[in-house]
């Protein structure tokens, strides 16, 4: 039974109703010694509490899609098939342009309409196998655009979170589609890959030899899949990346580390120190935590990367991280720090999409 499906939700609701009715019906009818009656009544109370918590969790998860499956919830999914040392560029000596084309089959995603489609990608360079969701802008199937290529924005969810979080939680496509039709925002292809690759741990979009090559999954394999299957270019100026919470840190890091792959990043309620995420795998190693701090990533670049960063959030929830990066950034790196009123939640991030994608429209160019 699917974690996010209607049958499971209906079952939990039924159990919750039973947990409320049962004590009312049998409380005074419980027989036996006092100790036995006490235990049975205590179990009824616990059952009622557990089912009440469960129905709230399932309802919220169905709306926000923090966990797409039981394996996501319990951290038992197997998405890493290999994790060799791929070197500083994350390519392991391979050349993407020489690799065979990756042709994928896509299926509609339940509850999101036909424009959001999903595929299972076997990342040949990263050693990651996972789902990727793609949304095509309204102009993509317009005959007037049949020979046009489109810019791309890669969307990275927080932890926990799935590719569906961006579409069902933030409702990115619903917010942006009318703006694309009116010309206020460029018609971007939106791509949201799986981010939970090692149980419920946060990979920090890092390549960690022997564990996971999350950086190469996002910045190499997913990009190649999009270019091979859709009218998109692999030029950095045509690619942006956006994320919220832990995904915001990832987005900024990918752009800073790979200006040859991305030209801009949007960080919603992000941070510079990966140790701010309790489940961070990178932060468990003091040296990795230091080298993967965004301030150190930026300062370690051989030359200032030609990328633009939008970093927004409340003062202690993204804004000050942005001002810290802005203080050390040197041209052509550009950092915009925006203080916003709002909490660390999907509703707040969704409200920022018109402004942030308007900003992206001025930087990420159509091929």
């Amino acid at each position: 039974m699917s974690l996010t499906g209607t049958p499971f939700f209906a079952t939990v609701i039924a159990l919750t109703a039973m947990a409320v009715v049962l004590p009312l019906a049998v409380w005074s009818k419980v027989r036996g010694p006092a100790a036995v009656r006490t235990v049975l009544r205590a179990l009824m109370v616990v059952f009622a509490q557990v089912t009440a918590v469960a129905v709230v969790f399932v309802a919220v998860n169905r709306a926000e899609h923090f966990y797409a499956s039981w394996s996501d919830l319990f951290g038992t999914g197997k998405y890493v098939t290999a994790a060799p040392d791929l070197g500083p560029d994350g390519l392991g000596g391979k050349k993407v342009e020489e690799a065979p084309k990756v042709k994928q089959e896509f299926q509609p995603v339940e509850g999101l309409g036909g424009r959001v489609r999903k595929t299972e990608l076997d990342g040949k360079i990263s050693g990651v196998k996972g789902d990727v969701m793609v949304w095509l802008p309204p102009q993509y199937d317009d005959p007037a655009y049949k020979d046009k290529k489109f810019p791309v924005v890669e969307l990275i969810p927080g932890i926990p979170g799935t590719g569906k979080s961006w579409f069902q939680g933030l409702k990115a496509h619903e917010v942006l589609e009318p703006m694309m039709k009116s010309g206020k925002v460029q018609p971007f292809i939106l791509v949201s890959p799986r981010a939970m690759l090692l149980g419920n741990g946060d990979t920090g979009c890092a390549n960690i030899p022997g564990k996971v090559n999350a950086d190469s999954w996002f910045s190499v394999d997913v990009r190649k899949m999009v270019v091979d299957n859709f009218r998109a270019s692999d030029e950095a100026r045509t690619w942006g990346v956006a994320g919220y919470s832990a995904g915001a840190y990832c987005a900024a890091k990918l752009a800073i580390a790979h200006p040859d792959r991305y030209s801009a990043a949007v960080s919603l309620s992000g941070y510079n120190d990966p140790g701010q995420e309790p489940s961070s795998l990178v932060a468990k190693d003091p040296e990795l935590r230091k080298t993967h701090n965004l301030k150190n990533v930026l300062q370690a670049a051989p030359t200032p990367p030609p990328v633009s960063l939008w970093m927004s959030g409340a003062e202690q929830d993204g804004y000050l991280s942005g001002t810290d990066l802005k203080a050390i950034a040197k041209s052509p790196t550009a950092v915009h720090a925006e203080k916003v009123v709002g909490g660390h939640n999907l509703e707040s991030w969704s409200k920022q999409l018109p402004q942030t994608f308007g900003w992206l429209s001025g930087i990420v160019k159509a091929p």
Side-chain angles (χ1 to χ4, degrees):
M1 194 176 291
S2 170
L3 177 62
T4 58
T6 299
F8 179 65
F9 189 33
T11 300
V12 174
I13 292 175
L15 288 173
T16 304
M18 183 188 302
V20 173
V21 172
L22 183 63
L24 296 175
V26 304
W27 192 271
S28 62
K29 298 179 182 178
V30 175
R31 297 291 181 262
V36 173
R37 295 199 304 271
T38 299
V39 170
L40 290 176
R41 287 168 177 165
L43 287 174
M44 286 190 285
V45 172
V46 171
F47 180 54
Q49 292 176 329
V50 169
T51 55
V53 171
V55 77
V56 172
F57 166 78
V58 174
V60 172
N61 189 58
R62 278 167 56 86
E64 313 295 0
H65 263 265
F66 296 121
Y67 302 98
S69 64
W70 292 102
S71 60
D72 281 346
L73 177 62
F74 294 113
T76 58
K78 303 296 183 183
Y79 304 103
V80 178
T81 61
D85 188 341
L86 298 177
D89 62 0
L91 295 172
K94 299 178 181 178
K95 294 183 178 180
V96 177
E97 60 273 16
E98 295 178 359
K101 285 192 175 295
V102 177
K103 301 305 292 183
Q104 296 290 121
E105 293 185 0
F106 293 81
Q107 303 295 330
V109 180
E110 182 182 0
L112 292 179
R115 300 200 68 86
V116 181
R117 293 182 280 176
K118 177 179 176 180
T119 190
E120 296 294 324
L121 176 63
D122 182 358
K124 297 301 184 182
I125 291 180
S126 67
V128 171
K129 284 186 178 181
D131 54 280
V132 183
M133 293 189 182
V134 178
W135 179 83
L136 300 175
Q139 292 90 337
Y140 194 87
D141 296 322
D142 186 332
Y145 288 78
K146 66 182 179 67
D147 298 320
K148 301 288 187 181
K149 290 186 177 182
F150 290 79
V152 183
V153 178
E154 201 167 353
L155 307 174
I156 305 178
I159 301 293
T162 69
K164 204 171 181 180
S165 300
W166 267 94
F167 298 111
Q168 189 149 346
L170 273 73
K171 303 185 185 303
H173 59 310
E174 295 181 19
V175 173
L176 296 173
E177 182 168 355
M179 301 185 70
M180 292 181 186
K181 288 181 176 178
S182 67
K184 294 180 180 178
V185 166
Q186 276 205 76
F188 293 108
I189 295 174
L190 304 181
V191 182
S192 193
R194 167 168 287 278
M196 294 171 65
L197 304 177
L198 288 176
N200 294 323
D202 171 31
T203 66
C205 293
N207 279 1
I208 308 175
K211 288 189 176 181
V212 64
N213 285 319
D215 183 317
S216 297
W217 163 246
F218 288 107
S219 71
V220 180
D221 285 326
V222 171
R223 290 180 79 256
K224 176 173 172 52
M225 182 277 290
V226 173
V227 172
D228 287 351
N229 287 271
F230 301 99
R231 297 198 305 276
S233 165
D234 65 353
E235 296 177 87
R237 69 186 185 90
T238 70
W239 278 76
V241 56
Y244 63 84
S245 192
Y249 163 82
C250 282
K253 190 179 78 168
L254 288 173
I256 294 170
H258 302 296
D260 57 328
R261 300 169 195 174
Y262 305 96
S263 60
V266 169
S267 168
L268 304 175
S269 297
Y271 45 80
N272 295 329
D273 175 10
Q276 290 185 233
E277 168 52 53
S279 67
S280 172
L281 301 177
V282 170
K284 296 183 186 303
D285 182 304
E287 184 60 26
L288 285 178
R289 178 176 178 176
K290 179 180 178 181
T291 57
H292 283 75
N293 186 301
L294 294 188
K295 292 191 289 185
N296 294 329
V297 175
L298 182 59
Q299 292 177 318
T303 58
V307 295
S308 297
L309 307 177
W310 173 288
M311 304 185 73
S312 61
E315 185 166 353
Q316 299 292 335
D317 190 31
Y319 174 68
L320 291 181
S321 294
T323 59
D324 285 348
L325 274 190
K326 186 174 182 177
I328 63 173
K330 298 179 181 178
S331 183
T333 305
V335 180
H336 174 82
E338 181 88 3
K339 185 185 291 187
V340 301
V341 177
H344 194 90
N345 55 63
L346 298 179
E347 182 182 4
S348 175
W349 299 321
S350 183
K351 289 179 179 178
Q352 296 178 57
L353 295 182
Q355 186 179 16
T356 54
F357 272 77
W359 175 82
L360 279 171
S361 295
I363 298 170
V364 179
K365 305 299 182 181

